[in-house]
Amino acid sequence: MAVYMNVDLLTRHSFTSFFLFSMGVSLWLICSGGFRRRLVIDHDKGEYRFYVHTHLRHRGPLNQIFIRIIAQKSGRRSLMYRIVLDGYKIDSHTLCGFSEKYKLLECQGRTIASNLKLNYFDYVDTSKRHCVIHRPIRANRGTI
């Protein structure tokens, strides 16, 4: 706004469309991103519910949400890790920032997952460090 006020009167009109466009985009971003997202974990019913504002977006069993460690390469070619709450049809939520301390984050991730009674997955797809509490329910198939 200060830059806009210091511009000469003749060139001020050329900035009017840019100013109005940027105000419109910023208001749209505030309104669209301002809706509160809420994840409700109900262990009694064995399900979770994901709300955006007050609208139910998805309901599913507890085996569809999990705590996971994600690894990403840094510029120094070392791996950086972070803990994420993720699942089916919910927004991914970062629980901590990047760190190089894998053992500490693994311990914290397992603790969070055990306190919330959720599945825990390591950053490697096939690992002995996974902790699976909830498994998918299979439909009973009739015998032939």
Side-chain angles (χ1 to χ4, degrees), residues 19-74:
F19 178 71
L20 291 175
F21 177 74
S22 63
M23 287 298 290
V25 168
S26 62
L27 285 174
W28 179 75
L29 288 173
I30 289 170
C31 291
S32 66
F35 293 120
R36 203 171 113 196
R37 281 137 166 82
R38 186 173 47 149
L39 178 66
V40 178
I41 300 171
D42 189 358
H43 289 289
D44 296 333
K45 293 182 181 178
E47 67 179 16
Y48 72 96
R49 295 181 300 275
F50 180 66
Y51 295 92
V52 175
H53 195 51
T54 58
H55 302 292
L56 177 66
R57 292 294 176 163
H58 186 72
R59 175 184 290 173
L62 288 177
N63 66 335
Q64 293 179 348
I65 59 174
F66 51 87
I67 304 289
R68 183 179 186 102
I69 289 187
I70 292 180
Q72 185 175 353
K73 287 187 179 179
S74 68

Side-chain angles (χ1 to χ4, degrees), residues 8-123:
D8 291 340
L9 184 62
L10 296 175
T11 59
R12 186 177 292 176
H13 295 292
S14 64
F15 290 106
T16 303
S17 62
F18 174 73
F19 178 71
L20 291 175
F21 177 74
S22 63
M23 287 298 290
V25 168
S26 62
L27 285 174
W28 179 75
L29 288 173
I30 289 170
C31 291
S32 66
F35 293 120
R36 203 171 113 196
R37 281 137 166 82
R38 186 173 47 149
L39 178 66
V40 178
I41 300 171
D42 189 358
H43 289 289
D44 296 333
K45 293 182 181 178
E47 67 179 16
Y48 72 96
R49 295 181 300 275
F50 180 66
Y51 295 92
V52 175
H53 195 51
T54 58
H55 302 292
L56 177 66
R57 292 294 176 163
H58 186 72
R59 175 184 290 173
L62 288 177
N63 66 335
Q64 293 179 348
I65 59 174
F66 51 87
I67 304 289
R68 183 179 186 102
I69 289 187
I70 292 180
Q72 185 175 353
K73 287 187 179 179
S74 68
R76 295 178 289 165
R77 296 186 182 179
S78 63
L79 288 176
M80 301 289 287
Y81 306 98
R82 69 178 172 183
I83 302 172
V84 175
L85 171 68
D86 203 1
Y88 180 68
K89 290 193 176 180
I90 66 170
D91 295 339
S92 178
H93 184 72
T94 303
L95 300 177
C96 73
F98 282 107
S99 175
E100 293 179 350
K101 300 176 182 177
Y102 169 73
K103 294 287 185 185
L104 178 67
L105 288 182
E106 180 194 9
C107 181
Q108 288 178 347
R110 284 178 164 271
T111 303
I112 292 169
S114 66
N115 288 342
L116 293 176
K117 297 177 184 150
L118 296 176
N119 293 337
Y120 167 80
F121 295 107
D122 198 21
Y123 74 97

